[in-house]
Amino acid sequence: MQYQKLSEFPADFLWGAATSAYQVEGAWNEDGKGPSVIDARTAYPEGTTDYKVASDHYHRYKEDVALFAELGLKTYRFSIAWSRIIPDGDGEVNPAGVAFYHRLIDELLHYGIVPIVTMYHFDLPQALQARGGWYNRNTVDAFERYARVLFKEYGGKVKYWLTINEQNMMILHGSAIGTLDPTLDNPKRNLYQQNHNMLVAQARAMNALHASFPDAKIGPAPNISLIYPASAKPEDVMAAFNFNAIRNWLYLDMAVFGRYNSTAWRYMEEKGYTPDILPGDMDVLAEAKPDFIAFNYYTSQTVEASKGDGSDETAREGDQHLRSGEEGVHRGAANPFLQKNAFGWEIDPIGFRNTLRALYDRYNLPLIVTENGLGAFDKLEDNGEINDPYRIDYLQRHIEQIQLALTDGVEVFGYTPWSAIDLVSTHQGCSKRYGFIYVNRDEFDLKDLRRIRKQSFYWYAQVIRDNGLTTR
């Protein structure tokens, strides 16, 4: 739809940026922190670093927050490391870990930056993983207790909470993220039991926050992108319907409506993945009501009909860790109408608007975009500058689509692109950079960890000052 005049961004729009604890903090074993599943990893892609130091945000948070304030951030989305708060996941609370996040939140508030807290971002305490992780029902109880500790400590300071980051990616790409145990007889059924347990844990956390802090707001944070059919062929359209249900709606239908998506449930029945549901689970799930939907968007995906010949599941171009397609369900396909970035990921700003519209039409809840960005091999020039016009172009094209979505009538209240500062990428180390702020280190040479403002830093600061894009 074309408009004669576009809606303005709301005056209180939350312009921000995002990180996660394990990718930015470092200090992996300091001040009583217990090991997480990230810390317990022993194998990394060749040529990439571990997370022991990352960007050293734990020791440099004051410097970083001052830079965030200079950038003009209205909000900062970050995660709390569960094992920094409760080292073994469900035992004694670690006062030093609790104190660190008080200091970080207080520093943000000092500069008028609204904290948005992600409670769990991939880094399950290793002690819980050793006892079965999310497959073990006791982890649901441990997460609820952890949530209550967070709410008690920070509930008076934090208004916005995100429950679980990209739960759907942990299920769909369990082999890449570490949630899949390939030694099991039916590892994917194990994953969908983990998924059910996470959904129950999320519901309990939402209920607990609303009971203790009625004015606070909480929502899920999956990775959502609308799925395109490769053609108008009915079989391809059906494949896209299938994958939208399995990839997107399964997680949000449960969070918002308190029920399993019917197509996704039939898929689990057909594949033998249906979880065990305990008495009372569905009541808890139905009772929980998110206040908004947070979601991460990087690119759209395209699928075609299954060929049924055993070749449907293939590695996604540009990222061998992620698989696309599932036998008898759908098959990954390229979209010839989209350009690609240096890592082979398709760039689809209009797909971003399509996704915003689909989410709002389906759930009618306020939306906040909690990740969106471009990873690249940024270069520190001899003159000390980092020129990243490719990142500016990517973000500008996506911000344009947010404004169009607002004009469509979609309620969007915030945008926190990935990432505020360079960090260690989940699969491609610290060489793949996303931040507005450069961290001067290499994969295995920490150098001085100096912070340097990128070209995109100054551009985004202007966007925030203008409350949107201008025609300058």
Side-chain angles (χ1 to χ4, degrees), residues 7-67:
S7 298
E8 300 291 335
F9 282 87
D12 58 353
F13 190 80
L14 292 175
W15 296 100
T19 65
S20 82
Y22 77 89
Q23 292 174 274
V24 76
E25 283 181 3
W28 71 284
N29 63 350
E30 295 185 31
D31 294 337
K33 180 182 177 295
S36 72
V37 293
I38 306 296
D39 303 318
R41 283 180 61 180
T42 57
Y44 294 86
E46 184 177 356
T48 63
T49 187
D50 57 29
Y51 300 89
K52 289 182 171 59
V53 175
S55 302
D56 199 32
H57 178 69
Y58 186 81
H59 298 113
R60 298 167 184 251
Y61 73 92
K62 286 192 174 183
E63 175 187 0
D64 292 341
V65 172
L67 283 167

Side-chain angles (χ1 to χ4, degrees), residues 385-456:
E385 294 181 353
I386 300 99
N387 295 304
D388 55 346
Y390 39 82
R391 180 168 294 111
I392 293 171
D393 177 70
Y394 177 96
L395 294 172
Q396 177 167 316
R397 291 165 64 191
H398 285 76
I399 291 171
E400 287 171 350
Q401 297 300 319
I402 297 176
Q403 188 168 11
L404 285 164
L406 288 167
T407 310
D408 291 330
V410 178
E411 185 179 355
V412 188
F413 68 93
Y415 177 64
T416 65
W418 191 263
S419 55
I421 188 169
D422 283 348
L423 36 69
V424 181
S425 176
T426 303
H427 303 302
Q428 285 138 329
C430 67
S431 298
K432 184 181 184 182
R433 299 174 181 270
Y434 283 88
F436 294 110
I437 300 164
Y438 186 93
V439 176
N440 190 36
R441 63 160 295 180
D442 291 335
E443 296 291 350
F444 304 106
D445 182 357
L446 293 177
K447 297 186 177 182
D448 59 6
L449 293 165
R450 182 164 43 105
R451 275 59 170 150
I452 307 169
R453 301 160 187 82
K454 299 181 187 179
Q455 181 186 17
S456 59

Side-chain angles (χ1 to χ4, degrees), residues 315-320 322 334 340 343-346:
R316 269 176 52 178
E317 184 179 354
D319 196 336
Q320 297 300 306
L322 302 181
K340 296 180 180 179
F343 295 89
W345 286 34
E346 293 170 335

Side-chain angles (χ1 to χ4, degrees), residues 310-363:
S311 66
D312 287 337
E313 185 173 335
T314 58
R316 269 176 52 178
E317 184 179 354
D319 196 336
Q320 297 300 306
H321 300 278
L322 302 181
R323 314 297 292 180
S324 179
E326 184 167 359
E327 191 63 25
V329 183
H330 62 90
R331 181 182 180 86
N335 190 328
F337 302 101
L338 301 178
Q339 69 179 103
K340 296 180 180 179
N341 67 18
F343 295 89
W345 286 34
E346 293 170 335
I347 299 174
D348 186 8
I350 295 175
F352 186 32
R353 179 184 178 188
N354 287 334
T355 301
L356 285 160
R357 291 173 69 165
L359 283 171
Y360 196 67
D361 282 350
R362 189 177 183 93
Y363 300 111

